[in-house]
Amino acid sequence: MRRLFLMLCLLPMLFLMTQRVGAQECVPPVDTIRLNASVDLTAPYVGEQIIYTIQIENTLENPPSFDPPPFEGMWRAGRLEITTSVADVCGVKVSVTTSQYILFPLRPGEIVIPPGTLDFSLNPVFEARTRVLSNEVMVNVLPVPQLDAPDSFGGLVGYPFFIDTTVGRTSARAGDPISLRVKVEGSGNIEQMPPPQLPLPENWRIYQQQSDLATATEGESLVGSKTFEWLVVPEGTGAVEIPSIELSYYDNNTGIFRTIFSEPITLDILPSENLPEAEVAAVAPEVEAGLPALRPIASVTGRQNTAWLWWFWLLPPLVLMGSAGYRWQTSRAARQAVRRRQSGALRTAKTNLSAVTRQRGDRAYKDLIMAVLTYFGDRWNTDALALDQNEIASRLLDEDVDDEIVQQIITCMRGAEEGRYAPDDSSPPRALVKQTLMALIAVDAAGNAR
């Protein structure tokens, strides 16, 4: 009985002690705001999508906005929807806000994503702002295997992708341009994808137009389409085929390269309305073979007054003289336009570079590169979009331009390309714009001295 009495007395005491210990384990949050950064892939391939996640835990009713870090060496392609949840921790309401950014690594090696920042003040009038930093994130980017890479691989990583080829019309006369569009769809860094290779005959004339981009997010993946457009002028007549266009990409799910093909397209090229006499003679029998037999027209009897027909003898020389004069005038106007374009190349470049300083983000760096390409396109009277860094350097060296000046041009273009990797709302540094202008002035001076 004594033991039973003691146990009945001790049980309430043990229960109260357990409740006190449990209550002591519940610790309310100490920090007003806490940041935690992470990525879903720590060892992605170059061009493979990764998601940078930042979680903001705070006890404020109106939390401040988060300022993401500069993602150097990565392309920030988009942002997923922000989610917020509220939890009760020891009687304190804690809000957890999750922001996610879609990134694509642009180079192999270790890339450190620096801390993101968040500035806030409990009393903005009387208290200074407090800065909270997130943790650093290390990403070890792997290069895409190149041993088995097909020739049509341009750096596209993801899965799946589709390709489709369309033309503006399937029938045209010889010498008439035809619009050719190649549309690529899939899940990956499609915005940075270069145009696919066109397996067209060398004697075809090809003029590249602007590309069209459309992207969206499905779940946690970036999907989209990019449409490339060219104007092509096929040679020859009859049935002419545009071969299937090949595109390869690296499937990061299986670790293999996949190649997709578009359907070939057959064009019906008709003879030009202004064919040479030799071609007319070759085509005439085929045309006549398809015409119905015609009855001869009865001869007209009686004498006719044909004295005025001698004027027709003057028509051929008059037409030839007019045509020669028109061609000479057109050629003269074209030469003058080329000279004006070449002489005003530097002036146009100064205007374009001045406009760059008023642009922001990715658009500004694109305009800076375009200002350089436009200068050399005007200088050499060629299509600016057909030029690249290697072509510019090769031509300048052929003109005996100093190697140091050539290197300055290439350095400026590479600096602008690197600026596009992580676009933000800032303008390109004025030092880069000024350096580009001074390099173009040096090139122009070297050209005038020759």
Side-chain angles (χ1 to χ4, degrees):
M1 288 295 293
R2 182 178 297 178
R3 291 180 180 179
L4 180 61
F5 177 76
L6 291 175
M7 289 180 62
L8 292 175
C9 293
L10 289 175
L11 282 176
M13 297 177 62
L14 291 174
F15 177 77
L16 292 175
M17 293 177 63
T18 305
Q19 291 297 317
R20 289 182 179 180
V21 172
Q24 292 177 356
E25 291 180 353
C26 183
V27 179
V30 178
D31 298 330
T32 305
I33 295 180
R34 186 169 57 181
L35 306 180
N36 181 39
S38 62
V39 292
D40 62 335
L41 289 178
T42 57
Y45 289 103
V46 175
E48 183 178 6
Q49 174 185 297
I50 65 174
I51 296 179
Y52 175 85
T53 302
I54 183 75
Q55 283 190 336
I56 306 173
E57 300 179 5
N58 71 90
T59 58
L60 301 177
E61 294 183 0
N62 299 313
S65 60
F66 172 72
D67 187 13
F71 300 106
E72 296 182 0
M74 295 191 178
W75 177 261
R76 193 177 82 182
R79 183 176 180 177
L80 301 178
E81 292 185 2
I82 301 175
T83 59
T84 303
S85 60
V86 179
D88 191 309
V89 180
C90 296
V92 178
K93 290 185 178 181
V94 179
S95 175
V96 180
T97 302
T98 303
S99 298
Q100 294 180 309
Y101 300 85
I102 298 177
L103 307 176
F104 291 94
L106 298 171
R107 58 175 174 80
E110 291 186 352
I111 297 179
V112 178
I113 302 178
T117 60
L118 190 150
D119 297 329
F120 76 99
S121 176
L122 296 177
N123 192 338
V125 178
F126 300 101
E127 295 183 5
R129 298 178 68 84
T130 301
R131 170 162 292 186
V132 180
L133 301 178
S134 67
N135 55 296
E136 290 184 346
V137 178
M138 174 75 72
V139 180
N140 184 25
V141 183
L142 305 176
V144 176
Q146 298 295 326
L147 292 178
D148 301 328
D151 294 336
S152 57
F153 174 68
L156 200 58
V157 178
Y159 179 83
F161 287 95
F162 308 94
I163 186 172
D164 182 48
T165 304
T166 58
V167 291
R169 50 181 173 170
T170 57
S171 178
R173 292 193 177 275
D176 291 344
I178 300 174
S179 63
L180 170 63
R181 289 179 292 274
V182 178
K183 183 178 182 180
V184 180
E185 299 178 279
S187 176
N189 190 11
I190 203 165
E191 185 173 356
Q192 298 293 302
M193 183 188 69
Q197 303 174 7
L198 297 182
L200 301 180
E202 294 182 358
N203 58 345
W204 284 30
R205 285 174 288 167
I206 305 173
Y207 306 93
Q208 185 171 353
Q209 307 295 303
Q210 296 292 334
S211 59
D212 184 27
L213 176 70
T215 59
T217 55
E218 290 185 1
E220 294 186 349
S221 299
L222 181 71
V223 297
S225 65
K226 194 170 187 179
T227 303
F228 302 91
E229 186 170 356
W230 295 265
L231 288 179
V232 298
V233 182
E235 295 293 335
T237 58
V240 180
E241 184 181 79
I242 296 179
S244 61
I245 297 176
E246 177 181 343
L247 178 67
S248 298
Y249 63 93
Y250 185 73
D251 185 348
N252 57 317
N253 293 326
T254 59
I256 61 175
F257 288 95
R258 298 183 183 274
T259 303
I260 54 179
F261 301 88
S262 66
E263 293 293 333
I265 298 177
T266 301
L267 304 176
D268 185 17
I269 307 302
L270 305 176
S272 173
E273 294 180 349
N274 299 318
L275 285 177
E277 293 184 359
E279 293 190 26
V280 173
V283 176
E286 301 178 5
V287 175
E288 293 177 356
L291 294 177
L294 301 179
R295 294 179 298 174
I297 301 176
S299 60
V300 180
T301 59
R303 297 177 58 87
Q304 298 182 9
N305 184 11
T306 60
W308 59 275
L309 294 179
W310 67 272
W311 285 97
F312 283 103
W313 292 99
L314 295 177
L315 287 179
L318 289 175
V319 171
L320 291 175
M321 291 174 61
S323 177
Y326 175 77
R327 287 197 300 269
W328 178 83
Q329 182 64 25
T330 303
S331 176
R332 179 173 177 271
R335 290 195 300 270
Q336 291 178 346
V338 169
R339 285 195 294 268
R340 287 195 300 269
R341 181 183 179 187
Q342 292 174 336
S343 61
L346 184 59
R347 182 170 61 254
T348 303
K350 291 180 179 179
T351 302
N352 293 338
L353 289 175
S354 177
V356 167
T357 59
R358 297 189 293 271
Q359 299 290 346
R360 292 185 178 275
D362 181 50
R363 173 66 182 274
Y365 288 102
K366 286 182 179 179
D367 288 352
L368 194 150
I369 297 173
M370 198 61 202
V372 177
L373 296 178
T374 301
Y375 167 79
F376 287 108
D378 293 344
R379 175 186 174 92
W380 293 323
N381 189 32
T382 187
D383 182 12
L385 296 178
L387 298 174
D388 55 20
Q389 296 180 16
N390 295 332
E391 178 71 13
I392 292 174
S394 177
R395 288 200 182 193
L396 290 177
L397 293 176
D398 291 341
E399 294 179 359
D400 295 329
V401 177
D402 189 79
D403 293 350
E404 185 177 352
I405 299 176
V406 177
Q407 187 59 41
Q408 290 177 4
I409 293 290
I410 301 303
T411 301
C412 293
M413 296 185 70
R414 288 176 178 172
E417 287 287 353
E418 293 176 358
R420 296 182 56 196
Y421 289 163
D424 51 23
D425 293 335
S426 62
S427 301
R430 291 185 177 272
L432 177 59
V433 178
K434 183 178 180 181
Q435 182 182 0
T436 303
L437 178 59
M438 298 303 295
L440 294 180
I441 292 175
V443 171
D444 203 72
N448 295 332
R450 289 194 307 120

